[in-house]
Structures are given as C-alpha cells and as structure tokens.
Amino acid sequence: MRDMLDQDQRLVILRSLTECGDSANESILQACLQTYGHRVSRDVVRTHLAWLREQGLVSLTDVSGCYVAEITGRGEDVASGLSTVPGVKKPRARG
C-alpha cells in the first residue's frame, strides 16, 4: 500500500509542476498533494522531491531553506504518460 501511495504522490507532484508553469516551491506542492487527497508533511514532500531529482525528473534549487522544483523534459514525458519510470504511477489517459 505504501508503495502505491508513493507512486501516486510522485505523479501528482509532476503533474502539479506542469500545471504551475513547470516550477513550484515545496509549500505549493504540499497544497497540491492535499487537494488530491494526500495529506502529507513537508518532510514527505522533500523526500519525494529528492527521489524525483535522483531519477532526473526534476531539478531543485534551495532558496533560503525552501526547495523550488522545476520539472525536466524527462519529467514532463513521465507526467504526460509518454514514458514510464518505476516508482511513479503511470497516468490514466485523459479523455
């Protein structure tokens, strides 16, 4: 169950970044996750962002102790379902 939640949360983060103009800070991403039914701590958001960075799906900038994430081209492909990465839920086709 935990793995399934992690995968969905990572997809929500990637999709949220694309909807926010390709970048957002960790506070905004935490609010986006909550909107989609994931009530998680800021620490969980940071853990997901670090994992997504390791996979080459986002880049991170530390701005006065707050992470700002920017989606990469590879991250956009995963968010839209053009490619898959184990550990990120594959999005359903939008109809």
Side-chain angles (χ1 to χ4, degrees):
M1 180 63 117
R2 179 75 254 163
D3 190 47
M4 186 170 50
L5 288 171
D6 286 344
Q7 289 180 29
D8 191 62
Q9 289 167 9
R10 292 170 184 150
L11 176 61
V12 168
I13 289 171
L14 292 175
R15 284 190 153 180
S16 296
L17 286 169
T18 62
E19 292 171 10
C20 289
D22 294 339
S23 68
N25 68 40
E26 63 189 78
S27 177
I28 295 296
L29 294 171
Q30 183 181 25
C32 291
L33 283 162
Q34 188 165 344
T35 299
Y36 285 94
H38 296 287
R39 187 173 180 160
V40 297
S41 69
R42 184 78 58 96
D43 187 55
V44 169
V45 175
R46 283 180 166 228
T47 299
H48 284 314
L49 290 174
W51 187 92
L52 291 166
R53 179 184 57 199
E54 289 175 4
Q55 307 310 308
L57 305 176
V58 302
S59 62
L60 296 178
T61 305
D62 186 331
V63 178
S64 299
C66 179
Y67 284 153
V68 176
E70 184 172 353
I71 195 164
T72 64
R74 183 170 188 235
E76 288 175 349
D77 287 348
V78 172
S80 66
L82 294 175
S83 64
T84 59
V85 169
V88 179
K89 182 179 176 182
K90 184 164 175 61
R92 291 187 342 192
R94 294 183 181 185

